[in-house]
Amino acid sequence: MSMNNSPNVFLDPNANRFQVNIINESHDNNETSQEDVGSEPPHYEETSFTDEAHNRLRISYRPGKRELYDNFLQNGEKTEASLHPYDTHTKMYYLQTFGHNTVDPVPKIDYYRNTGSVSGNKLSRPSLLEIHEQLAKNIAVSTSSVERVANGESTAGDETAVSKEEENKTGFVKFGWVKGVLVRCMLNIWGVMLFIRLSWIVGQAGIVKYFIFLLLTGLGVIIILLATMVTSITGLSTSAIATNGFVRGGLGIIVIGLSVVVTTLTGVSMSAICTNGVVRGGGAYYLISRSLGPEFGGSIGLIFAFANAVAVAMYVVGFAETVVQLLKESDTLMVDESNDIRIIGTITVVCLLGISVAGMEWEAKAQVILLIVLLVAIANFFIGTVIPTNNEKKARGFFNYQASIFAENFGPDFRSGEGFFSVFAIFFPAATGILAGANISGDLKDPQVAIPKGTMLAILITTVAYIGVAICAASCVVRDATGNINDTVVPGMSCNGSSACSLGYDFSRCASQPCDYGLMNNFQVMSMVSGFAPLITAGIFSATLSSALASLVSAPKVFQALCKDNVYKGLHFFAKGYGKNNEPIRGYVLTFVIAMAFILIAELNTIAPIISNFFLASYALINFSCFHASYAKSPGWRPAFRYYNMWVSLFGALLCCGVMFVINWWAALITYAIELFLYIYVTYKKPEVNWGSSTQALYYINALDSALALTTVEDHVKNFRPQCIALTGAPMIRPALLDITHTFTKNNGLCICCEVYTGPRKLCVKEMNSGMAKKQAWLTKNKRKAFYAAVAADSFRDGVKSLLQASGLGRMKPNTLVIGFKKDWRNAAATQVENYVGVIHDVFDFELGMIIVRISQGFDISQVLQVQEELEKLEQERLALEATIRENDFEEGRRGICGFFRKASTLNISKHETKKGSTINTIQSMHVGEFNQKLLEASTQFKKKQGKGTIDIWWLFDDGGLTILIPYILTIRKKWKNCKLRIFTGGKVNRIEEEKLVMASLLSKFRIKFADINIICDINIKPNKESWKFFEEMIEPYRLHESCKDITTAEKLKRETPWKITDAELEAFKEKSYRQVRLNELLQEHSRAANLIVLSLPVARKGVVSDYLYMAWLEILSKNLPPVLMVRGNHKNVLTFYS
């Protein structure tokens, strides 16, 4: 193609910058201009991005030039012009795709793929940080990639191209909707029932009930208005049940109708599910598990795979029955009928197994051949109904189309204990073929299109065929016939309404003795009616073998998908595939064993109801999956198939469940019991999968609805519960702090483990986001019912402020802050102490409760974790080194005597090195263990069950009751139930007993059990000199001593070190300081042996008490004691004695 460099193209002031003109160089400019005049639509520009003319580019297709441009894109024609991604002056720049010369990527499917996708490579789009922070960053783009973009090609490879490349490379065989779905579904639906049971069903149920059976399996719902059809069917079914089948009106058609309803609803639901995203291998299991989650999917997956394996036996037995019938007619039975069926069935299933193992390609070719034979056989039957009958066939009950026979067969005539639903149970397996295409979803080119299209069309075609065969058989063949051509009507004989009698034959003796012919007695009616009987036999062979083959392929495929997901870890052995199509050979063998077991039963009527229940359970869950996904209202539920309704799907699920119980109530109970057991098992094992199921979406909806409903409920003191923010940092670093908090919040209140990141925001946010999921997973793994939250802030205090104000949701907001005591406050920077004390002030400002926890060894075990991590790395390196040495030894050992000696020397060296390394590791482990033993024990002390002991509560100040509520909650926990509560409170010396009675009365009204009450009368006396001296020495480095300096110097020091304790402050709060020191003496005296001390937290007046003085109070108050909880409520009642 030729190009034209028009100077005006890029100078048009009205052109948009993101559009490009395609111009032809060889044509005359005037001619081009004339073509453009009046042909281009007017260009309306709302916003101009820039005034620079050379940046205003636009794409427009001039008359006749669109084809040239399309050809350029498709054929990839190149020019000699050099390309550069940022060169706006070359003549190829305007051909580059929008977004090519910017870091910001254009929408592309490769960004949305899963890792390891077989249909294309997953690309990682630039992060928001890269877009936001590094917009001017230059990106190197190769010329070849630019050319590919200019040619309209994806730099990562188009999905279709990559998919085809994968197929060519690996030899995958993928099927379209006709060969993969339509053919398989038709062959499976036109199975054994069509040729050797359909006439018997029509004889038992009549025409109309047969129609309802069919209506439960196909497109009747779409053909007729759904509501009218369902209500009509329900009315007919109810009438049939109420009269025990003696409703006139041809119940055979009703049998078909019921089947059509079930499978149509299931087909519609399945179409909706499989068009809601890419469908992989696994069929019904994949659809259910990805929709409802591994619990439902794992339970139904096993049942569905087993049902398909049993279906193989059913179809093979049907085939064997036909062969045995032929052997019987020729009097060449091998043993007897039952054993011959077993022998022939075994040989048949072995042959089918050979075809399946040969690969999907051979199996597909066999299916096409079998379909052709089947279609010829069906056509042969319809032709046979219009060929004039002969005396032999009349004696067997075939009289061509007769209105009297149609009328006689219109109503039901159940015999041998059969009823409507028992007949339905035998017919329903014919409907199970609708999943034949879905079961090989992994082998389809486009499952999203193929499954709905092929399945629904197959239901329509087979439904018409079933109804046609049923009506034709019921119009031509009587229910009972003797087969004796001499059983003709004697002159003067009364027919009593018998159609055979009116046609000249007397079959009345069939009422008193068994007959071998007619709809009720002869399973080979279609062969008798057909124009050429061997073709029907070939059709029976084709139908049964194709269905058996499809089931034999489906069962292993579904089972393999289940095993690959590792839902049941013990079954992972069967996940392995072989060959170019990843054939589940092990699954084939297992299916063969199951099929063989059921073939030995050799009774088709016994096998069919078992399969009916298993398939109905699968259908029920497919329908429920569609309903559940719609009900969850997840934005991810966007099926391309729109012709579904969530309530119709729910109706389909309930209908399947109801039919299961009506068919065989005890089998239904067993099916549900197995499914429930598997569901509980999978739930307990909790497989590590995340498929974005609708169950997850519904959890969210329920949680959201509950949270919103909770906002309308007013708070009441009886429902108060501690809802805590625990400043643990990373939860694994301070496990003891989390444990004690979790003890009184587990199953009772909200617990949020919080971490504050300080420093450069960019680094903090990156670190915070990268660790969020890991830390929440740690909580889940360690069975801590808590949330993890983190914030990035300029300071620790600012971060905690944000958490205090913004954490929680609705009524589920934290009301208490739990923080560890800052053990290193004397060595920490003044700003750190200021932030720590500032957090306590902020908690009180926001009217929250405060709990400070102190243990002797401290909470932070990050150093221990770091050492352990390093030791683990060293151990991994050592193991890797040993493995490498062993491999080298093996290679050298294969080189003769020299290799042998080298091997020996290397082995000695490696052993020496290993021993040396082990010694070093052992020394390090011993050192770490000795150094951190107490710290490790302290970090796990709240995980252990506490022995008999006490929780001492020093309830010195009334804070609303939080100080007494926290220890009470602890005592109702399993780990603390052996600990008794001892109450310590202040009082007067002359009123000790009265104070005890008052406190006992108060606790009794609160219904809080206690072991003892102690009234402390000497709290306000001065502490001993040693204790006070220790306190003074502790605060000495932080005192200002302004009274010893001149006023100017004192003022200067105050400005430079405002955090220091002034003499005036120390004097003003001397009594309070005495109290804290004295309290420690009392605590040492009374509670040294307690398991836990709960103590009223002193409050420092904001702006009056300095940070270091307050920290000194907390230090002296809790020093050298068992674990201490310093608690202060928000002075609002959290206890009540009212009911």
Side-chain angles (χ1 to χ4, degrees), residues 730-753:
M732 63 283 290
I733 289 178
R734 295 178 180 83
L737 183 61
L738 171 60
D739 290 338
I740 190 63
T741 308
H742 187 255
T743 304
F744 53 79
T745 60
K746 180 182 179 183
N747 299 327
N748 190 55
L750 180 69
C751 179
I752 307 176
C753 297

mmCIF file of all heavy atoms in Angstrom, residues 730-753:
data_model
loop_
_atom_site.group_PDB
_atom_site.id
_atom_site.type_symbol
_atom_site.label_atom_id
_atom_site.label_comp_id
_atom_site.label_asym_id
_atom_site.label_seq_id
_atom_site.Cartn_x
_atom_site.Cartn_y
_atom_site.Cartn_z
ATOM 1 N N ALA A 730 2.259 -6.978 64.449
ATOM 2 C CA ALA A 730 2.015 -8.261 63.790
ATOM 3 C C ALA A 730 1.620 -9.272 64.860
ATOM 4 O O ALA A 730 2.313 -9.409 65.868
ATOM 5 C CB ALA A 730 3.266 -8.720 63.054
ATOM 6 N N PRO A 731 0.497 -9.973 64.692
ATOM 7 C CA PRO A 731 -0.020 -10.824 65.781
ATOM 8 C C PRO A 731 0.936 -11.910 66.226
ATOM 9 O O PRO A 731 0.923 -12.312 67.385
ATOM 10 C CB PRO A 731 -1.299 -11.421 65.173
ATOM 11 C CG PRO A 731 -1.190 -11.221 63.703
ATOM 12 C CD PRO A 731 -0.364 -10.007 63.512
ATOM 13 N N MET A 732 1.807 -12.375 65.306
ATOM 14 C CA MET A 732 2.743 -13.438 65.708
ATOM 15 C C MET A 732 3.904 -12.912 66.556
ATOM 16 O O MET A 732 4.619 -13.687 67.186
ATOM 17 C CB MET A 732 3.289 -14.159 64.477
ATOM 18 C CG MET A 732 4.111 -13.318 63.518
ATOM 19 S SD MET A 732 3.135 -12.223 62.459
ATOM 20 C CE MET A 732 2.331 -13.401 61.389
ATOM 21 N N ILE A 733 4.093 -11.594 66.600
ATOM 22 C CA ILE A 733 5.205 -11.014 67.359
ATOM 23 C C ILE A 733 4.858 -10.877 68.836
ATOM 24 O O ILE A 733 5.719 -11.018 69.702
ATOM 25 C CB ILE A 733 5.591 -9.645 66.751
ATOM 26 C CG1 ILE A 733 6.265 -9.864 65.391
ATOM 27 C CG2 ILE A 733 6.507 -8.865 67.681
ATOM 28 C CD1 ILE A 733 6.643 -8.603 64.691
ATOM 29 N N ARG A 734 3.594 -10.610 69.146
ATOM 30 C CA ARG A 734 3.153 -10.491 70.544
ATOM 31 C C ARG A 734 1.999 -11.452 70.805
ATOM 32 O O ARG A 734 0.866 -11.029 71.053
ATOM 33 C CB ARG A 734 2.748 -9.048 70.851
ATOM 34 C CG ARG A 734 3.913 -8.056 70.782
ATOM 35 C CD ARG A 734 3.456 -6.633 71.056
ATOM 36 N NE ARG A 734 4.579 -5.703 70.998
ATOM 37 C CZ ARG A 734 5.050 -5.179 69.878
ATOM 38 N NH1 ARG A 734 4.512 -5.500 68.713
ATOM 39 N NH2 ARG A 734 6.079 -4.343 69.911
ATOM 40 N N PRO A 735 2.261 -12.751 70.740
ATOM 41 C CA PRO A 735 1.169 -13.723 70.866
ATOM 42 C C PRO A 735 0.505 -13.715 72.237
ATOM 43 O O PRO A 735 -0.695 -13.956 72.337
ATOM 44 C CB PRO A 735 1.861 -15.065 70.594
ATOM 45 C CG PRO A 735 3.303 -14.835 70.879
ATOM 46 C CD PRO A 735 3.564 -13.415 70.532
ATOM 47 N N ALA A 736 1.269 -13.435 73.296
ATOM 48 C CA ALA A 736 0.681 -13.457 74.639
ATOM 49 C C ALA A 736 -0.356 -12.355 74.800
ATOM 50 O O ALA A 736 -1.398 -12.553 75.436
ATOM 51 C CB ALA A 736 1.778 -13.321 75.695
ATOM 52 N N LEU A 737 -0.074 -11.175 74.243
ATOM 53 C CA LEU A 737 -1.040 -10.075 74.320
ATOM 54 C C LEU A 737 -2.315 -10.432 73.567
ATOM 55 O O LEU A 737 -3.430 -10.139 74.027
ATOM 56 C CB LEU A 737 -0.406 -8.799 73.741
ATOM 57 C CG LEU A 737 -1.262 -7.532 73.818
ATOM 58 C CD1 LEU A 737 -1.582 -7.186 75.265
ATOM 59 C CD2 LEU A 737 -0.569 -6.370 73.124
ATOM 60 N N LEU A 738 -2.147 -11.067 72.411
ATOM 61 C CA LEU A 738 -3.316 -11.511 71.660
ATOM 62 C C LEU A 738 -4.080 -12.592 72.426
ATOM 63 O O LEU A 738 -5.317 -12.586 72.472
ATOM 64 C CB LEU A 738 -2.870 -12.040 70.288
ATOM 65 C CG LEU A 738 -3.944 -12.744 69.448
ATOM 66 C CD1 LEU A 738 -5.103 -11.816 69.146
ATOM 67 C CD2 LEU A 738 -3.334 -13.286 68.162
ATOM 68 N N ASP A 739 -3.339 -13.517 73.049
ATOM 69 C CA ASP A 739 -3.987 -14.628 73.753
ATOM 70 C C ASP A 739 -4.866 -14.144 74.895
ATOM 71 O O ASP A 739 -5.996 -14.607 75.055
ATOM 72 C CB ASP A 739 -2.938 -15.601 74.281
ATOM 73 C CG ASP A 739 -2.254 -16.384 73.167
ATOM 74 O OD1 ASP A 739 -2.854 -16.499 72.078
ATOM 75 O OD2 ASP A 739 -1.116 -16.850 73.376
ATOM 76 N N ILE A 740 -4.362 -13.230 75.709
ATOM 77 C CA ILE A 740 -5.148 -12.770 76.852
ATOM 78 C C ILE A 740 -6.357 -11.962 76.376
ATOM 79 O O ILE A 740 -7.451 -12.043 76.957
ATOM 80 C CB ILE A 740 -4.274 -11.945 77.843
ATOM 81 C CG1 ILE A 740 -5.033 -11.673 79.130
ATOM 82 C CG2 ILE A 740 -3.776 -10.672 77.217
ATOM 83 C CD1 ILE A 740 -5.395 -12.907 79.914
ATOM 84 N N THR A 741 -6.176 -11.200 75.297
ATOM 85 C CA THR A 741 -7.309 -10.453 74.743
ATOM 86 C C THR A 741 -8.335 -11.411 74.147
ATOM 87 O O THR A 741 -9.542 -11.256 74.357
ATOM 88 C CB THR A 741 -6.822 -9.470 73.661
ATOM 89 O OG1 THR A 741 -5.773 -8.669 74.188
ATOM 90 C CG2 THR A 741 -7.962 -8.581 73.189
ATOM 91 N N HIS A 742 -7.834 -12.393 73.428
ATOM 92 C CA HIS A 742 -8.715 -13.367 72.783
ATOM 93 C C HIS A 742 -9.492 -14.182 73.818
ATOM 94 O O HIS A 742 -10.612 -14.624 73.560
ATOM 95 C CB HIS A 742 -7.873 -14.292 71.898
ATOM 96 C CG HIS A 742 -8.676 -15.220 71.054
ATOM 97 N ND1 HIS A 742 -8.804 -16.558 71.346
ATOM 98 C CD2 HIS A 742 -9.403 -15.001 69.939
ATOM 99 C CE1 HIS A 742 -9.562 -17.129 70.434
ATOM 100 N NE2 HIS A 742 -9.931 -16.209 69.575
ATOM 101 N N THR A 743 -8.909 -14.357 74.997
ATOM 102 C CA THR A 743 -9.571 -15.142 76.037
ATOM 103 C C THR A 743 -10.895 -14.512 76.453
ATOM 104 O O THR A 743 -11.885 -15.220 76.661
ATOM 105 C CB THR A 743 -8.655 -15.278 77.277
ATOM 106 O OG1 THR A 743 -7.417 -15.845 76.868
ATOM 107 C CG2 THR A 743 -9.291 -16.168 78.329
ATOM 108 N N PHE A 744 -10.950 -13.195 76.558
ATOM 109 C CA PHE A 744 -12.232 -12.596 76.971
ATOM 110 C C PHE A 744 -13.036 -12.010 75.805
ATOM 111 O O PHE A 744 -14.074 -11.391 76.023
ATOM 112 C CB PHE A 744 -12.048 -11.550 78.091
ATOM 113 C CG PHE A 744 -11.046 -10.475 77.825
ATOM 114 C CD1 PHE A 744 -11.352 -9.391 77.019
ATOM 115 C CD2 PHE A 744 -9.792 -10.521 78.400
ATOM 116 C CE1 PHE A 744 -10.435 -8.393 76.792
ATOM 117 C CE2 PHE A 744 -8.859 -9.521 78.192
ATOM 118 C CZ PHE A 744 -9.181 -8.451 77.389
ATOM 119 N N THR A 745 -12.563 -12.198 74.563
ATOM 120 C CA THR A 745 -13.382 -11.781 73.417
ATOM 121 C C THR A 745 -13.862 -12.954 72.567
ATOM 122 O O THR A 745 -14.813 -12.815 71.798
ATOM 123 C CB THR A 745 -12.596 -10.819 72.499
ATOM 124 O OG1 THR A 745 -11.427 -11.473 72.012
ATOM 125 C CG2 THR A 745 -12.227 -9.546 73.233
ATOM 126 N N LYS A 746 -13.228 -14.138 72.681
ATOM 127 C CA LYS A 746 -13.591 -15.283 71.844
ATOM 128 C C LYS A 746 -15.067 -15.637 72.018
ATOM 129 O O LYS A 746 -15.541 -15.814 73.140
ATOM 130 C CB LYS A 746 -12.712 -16.486 72.201
ATOM 131 C CG LYS A 746 -13.014 -17.721 71.373
ATOM 132 C CD LYS A 746 -12.156 -18.888 71.808
ATOM 133 C CE LYS A 746 -12.471 -20.138 71.000
ATOM 134 N NZ LYS A 746 -11.687 -21.304 71.453
ATOM 135 N N ASN A 747 -15.776 -15.728 70.896
ATOM 136 C CA ASN A 747 -17.206 -16.060 70.876
ATOM 137 C C ASN A 747 -18.027 -15.091 71.720
ATOM 138 O O ASN A 747 -19.154 -15.403 72.106
ATOM 139 C CB ASN A 747 -17.452 -17.489 71.381
ATOM 140 C CG ASN A 747 -16.769 -18.523 70.525
ATOM 141 O OD1 ASN A 747 -16.639 -18.359 69.321
ATOM 142 N ND2 ASN A 747 -16.315 -19.600 71.149
ATOM 143 N N ASN A 748 -17.473 -13.944 71.996
ATOM 144 C CA ASN A 748 -18.167 -13.025 72.889
ATOM 145 C C ASN A 748 -18.163 -11.593 72.374
ATOM 146 O O ASN A 748 -19.140 -10.876 72.535
ATOM 147 C CB ASN A 748 -17.519 -13.077 74.278
ATOM 148 C CG ASN A 748 -18.321 -12.337 75.324
ATOM 149 O OD1 ASN A 748 -19.491 -12.617 75.506
ATOM 150 N ND2 ASN A 748 -17.690 -11.378 75.987
ATOM 151 N N GLY A 749 -17.042 -11.195 71.780
ATOM 152 C CA GLY A 749 -16.939 -9.819 71.316
ATOM 153 C C GLY A 749 -15.947 -9.685 70.183
ATOM 154 O O GLY A 749 -15.303 -10.643 69.758
ATOM 155 N N LEU A 750 -15.823 -8.468 69.706
ATOM 156 C CA LEU A 750 -14.944 -8.155 68.580
ATOM 157 C C LEU A 750 -13.503 -8.032 69.066
ATOM 158 O O LEU A 750 -13.238 -7.465 70.118
ATOM 159 C CB LEU A 750 -15.398 -6.838 67.945
ATOM 160 C CG LEU A 750 -14.621 -6.305 66.743
ATOM 161 C CD1 LEU A 750 -14.837 -7.199 65.534
ATOM 162 C CD2 LEU A 750 -15.069 -4.878 66.428
ATOM 163 N N CYS A 751 -12.587 -8.583 68.287
ATOM 164 C CA CYS A 751 -11.158 -8.439 68.590
ATOM 165 C C CYS A 751 -10.436 -8.076 67.293
ATOM 166 O O CYS A 751 -10.530 -8.811 66.299
ATOM 167 C CB CYS A 751 -10.590 -9.737 69.161
ATOM 168 S SG CYS A 751 -8.824 -9.649 69.547
ATOM 169 N N ILE A 752 -9.753 -6.947 67.313
ATOM 170 C CA ILE A 752 -9.009 -6.490 66.142
ATOM 171 C C ILE A 752 -7.546 -6.331 66.536
ATOM 172 O O ILE A 752 -7.211 -5.527 67.409
ATOM 173 C CB ILE A 752 -9.548 -5.152 65.607
ATOM 174 C CG1 ILE A 752 -11.051 -5.230 65.364
ATOM 175 C CG2 ILE A 752 -8.829 -4.757 64.329
ATOM 176 C CD1 ILE A 752 -11.672 -3.918 64.919
ATOM 177 N N CYS A 753 -6.690 -7.123 65.909
ATOM 178 C CA CYS A 753 -5.243 -6.975 66.116
ATOM 179 C C CYS A 753 -4.747 -5.865 65.194
ATOM 180 O O CYS A 753 -4.898 -5.964 63.973
ATOM 181 C CB CYS A 753 -4.522 -8.281 65.787
ATOM 182 S SG CYS A 753 -5.004 -9.643 66.841
#
